[in-house]
Amino acid sequence: MTATRFRTGLAAAWLCLGVCLLLRGILFPADVFAKYDATRLTLGGWFAVALAAWNGMRVYWMKSVGRAPTPNPLRQTRAGNGNREYNPAFDFTTHPDQEMGGKPSTSTD
C-alpha cells in the first residue's frame, strides 16, 4: 500500500465520519445521539471534515510535486555491454586445463 492510497483512504474515512456527524439529525433517528452533547458532536464533525481536507491536500501536494526517482549510479546499462572486445585473459567461465584436455595437477611429486 502506498502512502498516496493510504492518505486517500483516510481522507475518505474522515469525510464520511464528518458528514455523518454533521448530518446526524437527517441520517439517524433522534434517540441515537440523544445522550451526547450536540455541540461536541458538531465540533467533532467539523474536525473530521478538516482532517479529510488536510489528507486530501497532502495527496494533491504529493501528486503535483512528486519527484521522478533518481537513477542508480551503480547500475550498468545494457547498451554499453555490447561494445566491449573479447579478452581471453578475463574469461573465467572455463579453466585453461579443461579446455586443453590436460590432467589436473593432483600429484605430490
Side-chain angles (χ1 to χ4, degrees):
M1 176 184 283
T2 63
T4 304
R5 286 185 182 181
F6 182 69
R7 287 188 177 122
T8 304
L10 279 178
W14 284 120
L15 186 64
C16 288
L17 180 67
V19 167
C20 285
L21 284 175
L22 292 175
L23 300 177
R24 68 186 175 277
I26 299 169
L27 298 175
F28 301 104
D31 59 342
V32 173
F33 294 106
K35 62 182 180 178
Y36 300 108
D37 184 22
T39 306
R40 290 183 186 208
L41 289 176
T42 303
L43 286 176
W46 283 115
F47 184 68
V49 169
L51 286 175
W54 173 256
N55 281 315
M57 183 202 59
R58 290 180 71 186
V59 168
Y60 175 74
W61 181 76
M62 285 176 62
K63 290 288 189 178
S64 65
V65 182
R67 296 177 275 173
T70 57
N72 185 356
L74 301 177
R75 185 175 181 172
Q76 295 179 354
T77 59
R78 294 180 190 246
N81 291 343
N83 296 337
R84 295 181 185 169
E85 64 181 61
Y86 176 73
N87 188 348
F90 294 112
D91 186 13
F92 301 110
T93 57
T94 60
H95 193 273
D97 291 338
Q98 293 174 351
E99 190 173 313
M100 302 292 251
K103 295 187 288 182
S105 58
T106 57
S107 65
T108 58
D109 295 334

